[in-house]
Amino acid sequence: MDIFLNVLKVTLEEGFMYAILAMGVYITYSILDFPDLSVDGTMPLGAIITGVLIMNGVNPWLCLTIAFVLGAVAGAVTGILHVKFKIRDLLCGILTYTSLLTVNLIIVSAGTGGMSIASFFREPTIFNTAPAALVPEKIGGYSLRILIMSFVIVLIVKIIMDLYLKTKSGILLRATGDNSRFVTMLAVDSGKIKIIGLALGNGLAALSGSVIAQSRGSADPQMGVGMVVLGLASVIIGLSIFKRFSFMKTTTMVILGSIAYKACLSIALELGLPTNYLKLLMAVIFTVAIVASRISIKKGGAHVKA
Amino acid sequence: MLRLENITKKFNIGTIDESTVFDNFNFQVKKGEFVSVVGSNGSGKSTLLNLVCGTITPDCGNIIFNDKNINKLSEYKRAKFIGRVYQEPKAGTCGNLTIAENMALADNKNQFYGLSKCLSKKRVDYYKTLLEKCDLGLENRMTTKVGALSGGQRQALALVIANMSDIDLLILDEHTAALDPKSSDTVMRLTDKLVKEKGITTLMVTHNLRFAVEYGNRLVMMHEGNCVLDIAGENKQNVVVDDLLGKFYEISIEKGN
Ligand SMILES: Nc1ncnc2c1ncn2[C@@H]1O[C@H](COP(=O)(O)OP(=O)(O)OP(=O)(O)O)[C@@H](O)[C@H]1O
Ligand SMILES: [Mg+2]
C-alpha cells in the first residue's frame, strides 16, 4: 500500500509538472499544426536558468517568469526562422534546439563556475517557501508540498490558457493553424501569429523546466532529452482517450494525458524495467498512442492529429 | 478604381516549363462595376485575381488601386479593402471554429486582435441577422463547427464573412463551382443581393455562362492572357448564353483545334 501511494504521488507530481510542457506542445502541435522540436532545448533552458539564478539568490517565483520569457524568445526564434527565412518547420526546431545545446552549456558553466550541473538543494524554491510553506512538511507521513504546489501551478496555467483561447488573439491563433488563408483575408499577418504561438508554446516548456528543476533542486542540459516525445505523447494520449467527453476542455485532456503517460512509465519501472530502457519505452508508448488514436478515428471518433 | 497596367507574368522562369500567362496586359475596373469573367481553362483568370489580391506579384507592370500603386503591398495588407471567396468551400472559413467564432473574427477585421473576449452575446444576435439573409437556417446553428456544414452552406457563410467588413472590392473565383445546381443558385443569388446592397465593386470568375449573363453589369472573356470580349451596359443586358458559346468556339477554331 505504501509503495502504491508513493508511486501514485510521484506520478501525479510529475504528471502535473510535465503537463505544463504538454500544454505548450498542444499549442504548437495541435493548434498551430507545427511540429516543433525546439522543446528539447527550451525545457532545459528554463531549468538551467532557474538553477543558476536561484544559486545567485534570485526569488524562485521571479525565476518562473524569467524562464517563461527566455523560452518564449527561443520559440520566437524558431518561428522567425520559419516565417521570415522560409526554412522548413522541422528544420527550424532542429536549428534552435542545436543552438540551445551550446547556450545551455554556457549558462550552466558560467553560472556555476565551470560545472555541468546546477545544484541548489538547500536554496529557497517555490516548494519550500511561502505559500508552499503553509502546507505542513509532512501530512500523514507523506510530504505533499510538491504535489499540492505543482497541482496549483498547473491549474493556474490551465485556467489562463482556457481564458486566452477564448480571446480574440487566442481564436486567431486557432484559426491560423486551421486555415492561414482565412487569417490573411482578415488582414492579419499569419506569420506573426505563428511566431506568437511558438513563443507561447516554448515559454510553457521552459516554465515547466523551471518547475521541474525547483522540485529536484538541480538542473542540467540532459533534462531535455525526449521532451518532444513526452509532450506529443501526452497530447495525443489525452486527446484520444478523453475526446468522447465533449464537455471536457482540451487543456484538461492534455493534463490527464500527461498523467496517463507518466503512469505508464511508473508502472513499467515498478514492474522492474531497468531505467536504461526508459527512453525506448517512451517511444513505444508514443507509437502505441498514435496507432490507437488512428484506430479510434476509423471507428468514427473525433479526429486527433498524429 | 482598379487598374492593371502593362502587366507581364511568367511562371517557372528559366526552366523548360516557362509559361507566359500575361504579356503586357491592361485591364480596368470602375467603381461599382460587377464584372463576370469567363474564359477557357488556363486563360489566366485565377492568375488575374491572384495578382489583384497580392497572392502573386507581377514580373513587370503596375497595379493601381484608388490611384495608389499597390504593387508592393503584401497580400494581408490588401485584404483590408479586399474581400475574397475561393473555389474550395474550405478556404473561406475555419472548419475547427464555430460559425459564431468565424464571424466574430471577421467582425474584428481591421482592428486589433488583443486579449479581450472574442464572442459577445449582443454581436452574436447581429451575426444571426446577417445569416438570416442566406435562408439556409444557419442562424440557428451558431455553435456548430463550420467543418460540419455542407459545401454550399460553408460557401454562403464565406460570402457573408467576406462582406462583413467594409470592403471596396470583392473577389470571387469560381465560388459556386463546387456546389450542386440548387446550392450554386442559392449562393449566386445571395452574392447578387450582397453586392447590390452595398454597391461593392466585384470581380467574379465563373464557368457558369448563365450566371455570367444573368448577373453583373459587365462581362469579360479571357483567352491566353488577353480580354477577347468586354461588354458592359446595355450590350451586356442583351447578351445571351449562345453568344458566349459562339465566341468560345470561334476562338478555338482560330487556334486550329
Ligand atoms: N503557381 C503556378 N505555377 C506555374 N504555373 C502556373 C501557376 N499558376 C498558374 N499557372 C499557369 O498559368 C496559366 C493560367 O492559369 P490560371 O490558373 O490563371 O487559369 P484559369 O483561367 O484560372 O483556369 P481555370 O479556368 O482552369 O481555373 C496556366 O497555364 C497555368 O499552368
Ligand atoms: Mg482558375
Side-chain angles (χ1 to χ4, degrees), chain A residues 164-172 174-176 178-179 181-190 192 305, chain B residues 75-76 79 84 86 88 90-97 101-102 105-106 108-110 113-116 118:
Chain A
Y164 173 70
L165 289 177
K166 285 199 194 117
T167 63
K168 289 172 180 166
S169 170
I171 293 190
L172 196 62
R174 287 160 59 196
T176 305
D178 189 6
N179 180 0
R181 266 198 286 182
F182 179 66
V183 174
T184 305
M185 282 188 285
L186 297 174
V188 175
D189 182 0
S190 63
K192 219 194 275 170
K305 258 178 284 163
Chain B
E75 187 177 10
Y76 79 90
R84 188 171 192 185
Y86 293 87
E88 317 91 286
K90 284 194 170 130
T93 43
C94 266
N96 282 339
L97 302 181
E101 285 169 334
N102 268 281
L105 280 182
N108 198 57
K109 183 172 165 183
N110 296 341
Y113 287 86
L115 295 179
S116 54
C118 195

Side-chain angles (χ1 to χ4, degrees), chain B residues 147-162:
Chain B
L149 300 180
S150 77
Q153 293 167 334
R154 219 170 150 169
Q155 209 61 330
L157 178 64
L159 201 58
V160 171
I161 280 179

Side-chain angles (χ1 to χ4, degrees), chain B residues 42 45-47 87 173-174 205 207:
Chain B
K45 305 177 300 294
S46 297
T47 308
Q87 177 175 347
D173 192 353
E174 299 185 34
V205 167
H207 284 302

